[in-house]
Amino acid sequence: FQKALTTNGLDNNSHYQVMSNLAAVQFGTEKYADALKTLDTFLAETKSPDVKYQTMRGSILASLGRNDEAAKLYKDLLAKNPNDKKILMNAVASLQQADQYDQANALLGEAYKKGQLTEAREYKALYSGYLNSDKWKEAVPVINDGAAKGLLPQDADLAKAYMIVAQK
């Protein structure tokens, strides 16, 4: 892909497709700085509004340990795409990695209130966030609701969550 770009002989559509592919390959081979540079060039030249490229950029930033930047990017994307759970969960993960647990909990809590959480991992992320932030009272209804809906399996994780809540 790099050689195809270097020759500068492609039409615009092919050039940008190759550039996008190069960024994806660089990211996949853990050449994060190169991937970010390629993707930023792609975005500057194409002005593409496609969410997938911004999401990829957030993943690259997170892989580079630039979690604050990734969290901001994902929060901005979430504001524009409030029903996109993939963006939501990426925002939450980036906020957690940036040690911004209260913001991560707030995003998940809002999604929970809107009925957007539908998977065990999402419920676990929320109740774990509450438990880790000493917000026991907020954790209990989430745990009970997830168990009642059958989303949280009757397993060691659920037992541990109940045990922690009971001790507080």
Side-chain angles (χ1 to χ4, degrees), residues 140-151:
V140 172
V142 175
I143 296 167
N144 289 338
D145 185 44
K149 289 179 178 175
L151 292 173

Side-chain angles (χ1 to χ4, degrees), residues 1 39-40 49 57 71 75-76 79-80 100 123 138 141 147 162:
F1 291 129
L39 186 60
D40 283 347
R57 189 171 193 281
K75 284 179 15 183
D76 291 346
K80 295 175 189 171
Q100 297 176 24
Y123 271 75
E138 288 91 338
Y162 277 127

Side-chain angles (χ1 to χ4, degrees), residues 52-118:
K52 74 179 179 183
Y53 297 116
Q54 292 301 323
T55 301
M56 182 180 182
R57 189 171 193 281
S59 295
I60 294 169
L61 288 169
S63 296
L64 287 166
R66 294 166 59 179
N67 297 310
D68 289 326
E69 291 174 71
K72 182 182 180 333
L73 185 146
Y74 284 126
K75 284 179 15 183
D76 291 346
L77 284 175
L78 189 59
K80 295 175 189 171
N81 304 279
N83 296 320
D84 190 319
K85 282 201 320 184
K86 183 176 181 181
I87 293 173
L88 168 69
M89 296 312 288
N90 284 330
V92 168
S94 293
L95 286 165
Q96 290 170 337
Q97 291 171 350
D99 295 329
Q100 297 176 24
Y101 298 105
D102 287 341
Q103 288 185 43
N105 291 344
L107 284 181
L108 278 175
E110 285 302 311
Y112 174 71
K113 290 175 189 171
K114 293 177 187 176
Q116 292 177 313
L117 304 187
T118 58

